[in-house]
Amino acid sequence: FLRQVADFGNACGTIGCLHALSNSLHILNMVEGAALVNFVHAQSGATPEERGEALLTADALKAPSDAAAVDAAAQTVCPARDGRPLDHHFVAFVQTPGGRLVELDGTKRCPIDHGPTSPENFLSDAASVVLRQFVAAEPDLHGFAVMALARTEGDGAG
């Protein structure tokens, strides 16, 4: 878990992706030496705030994020990192190695534990939390999108 520090600006999409991937290393087959693996190992003893600050200078992670955000293939106009606050936000839900459903939101003080889950129930458990905590809280707001990182059967991962 890392905090989204103010100097990083409008980067919740990057933070959400980093949370999802870095907290799934136990099921991903990432190559040792990959930028994300190196960052996770280097920051393993740091506080969430220190990790957020370290991300500011982690060019191997920040530069591709910045490049992707302004690429012509991007579907939306890239907001300025130091621009006005946005009306949308990205968070990640992960299953811990201990079988807990955890919400990771870099703007919050800490991860939020939503209880037990399993590989078989993770998607429905996460969807239930989204419905209960977000959709039900503002039923007239229709700005939700959900994306799942999944593998296909037989791909040998995990």
Side-chain angles (χ1 to χ4, degrees):
F1 178 75
L2 64 82
R3 292 289 308 272
Q4 182 174 338
V5 297
D7 290 342
F8 208 108
N10 292 323
C12 60
T14 296
I15 304 297
C17 288
L18 289 174
H19 277 146
L21 293 170
S22 63
N23 286 279
S24 299
L25 293 179
H26 61 287
I27 57 173
L28 298 173
N29 291 322
M30 295 190 88
V31 177
E32 277 301 319
L36 181 59
V37 174
N38 289 345
F39 183 80
V40 169
H41 291 317
Q43 299 303 315
S44 64
T47 67
E49 289 77 16
E50 291 168 338
R51 291 177 186 141
E53 292 290 336
L55 186 59
L56 290 171
T57 59
D59 286 335
L61 296 175
K62 190 172 181 293
S65 169
D66 291 343
V70 297
D71 189 277
Q75 294 179 5
T76 60
V77 175
C78 179
R81 288 247 193 248
D82 59 352
R84 65 175 180 76
L86 302 173
D87 291 341
H88 56 270
H89 187 57
F90 295 87
V91 301
F93 288 88
V94 299
Q95 179 183 332
T96 67
R100 306 296 294 178
L101 174 61
V102 177
E103 176 185 344
L104 302 170
D105 179 344
T107 65
K108 297 201 175 156
R109 294 183 58 212
C110 60
I112 300 170
D113 185 336
H114 289 286
T117 192
S118 66
E120 299 78 22
N121 296 325
F122 172 76
L123 189 56
S124 63
D125 290 343
S128 293
V129 171
V130 169
L131 288 171
R132 189 174 58 252
Q133 300 290 323
F134 298 100
V135 177
E138 297 189 56
D140 296 329
L141 181 65
H142 301 284
F144 283 93
V146 177
M147 177 175 59
L149 301 177
R151 63 177 184 248
T152 58
E153 284 195 46
D155 71 359

